Amino acid sequence: MPEKSADHGVMNEEAVRGLAQTMQIELTDEEATALAADLSATIAYAERVEGFANQEVTPMSHPIQDLNVMRPDEVKEVLSLDEALENAPEVTDGMFRVTSIMGGEQ
């Protein structure tokens, strides 16, 4: 099985070609070069992140710990029916009149 090169965080083209052969994936030279660069960058980033992990940092799954934050249920003044309907294009029997989209009566 191909190994990561001796340099930490570096995947060379040989390692990428070995992985591709194991996975039975055909790669062009350009694809192998690009994948080696992408994988090297990914490994380097993972190693960098790993360096931040220590006992002073609490592991977390989400940066914001507040869950189910809700405001109190309070009765407030709302629009009257006339205020709510005053800018409606069409009103029928104290209700907004809209075009039917289900083929029923308009």
Side-chain angles (χ1 to χ4, degrees), residues 36-104:
D38 289 348
L39 289 171
S40 291
T42 301
I43 292 168
Y45 184 75
E47 288 177 347
R48 186 173 168 213
V49 169
E50 188 178 69
F52 291 117
N54 59 39
Q55 293 182 354
E56 295 175 15
V57 178
T58 305
M60 60 183 177
S61 62
H62 197 277
I64 299 171
Q65 297 301 316
D66 294 334
L67 299 174
N68 296 327
V69 176
M70 300 176 73
R71 66 173 172 75
D73 190 15
E74 299 173 354
V75 176
K76 294 184 176 179
E77 191 170 316
V78 295
L79 295 175
S80 68
L81 179 60
D82 290 335
E83 291 170 327
L85 296 174
E86 77 181 12
N87 292 324
E90 289 187 55
V91 176
T92 301
D93 298 329
M95 297 179 280
F96 291 96
R97 181 176 175 93
V98 296
T99 303
S100 174
I101 59 170
M102 299 298 286

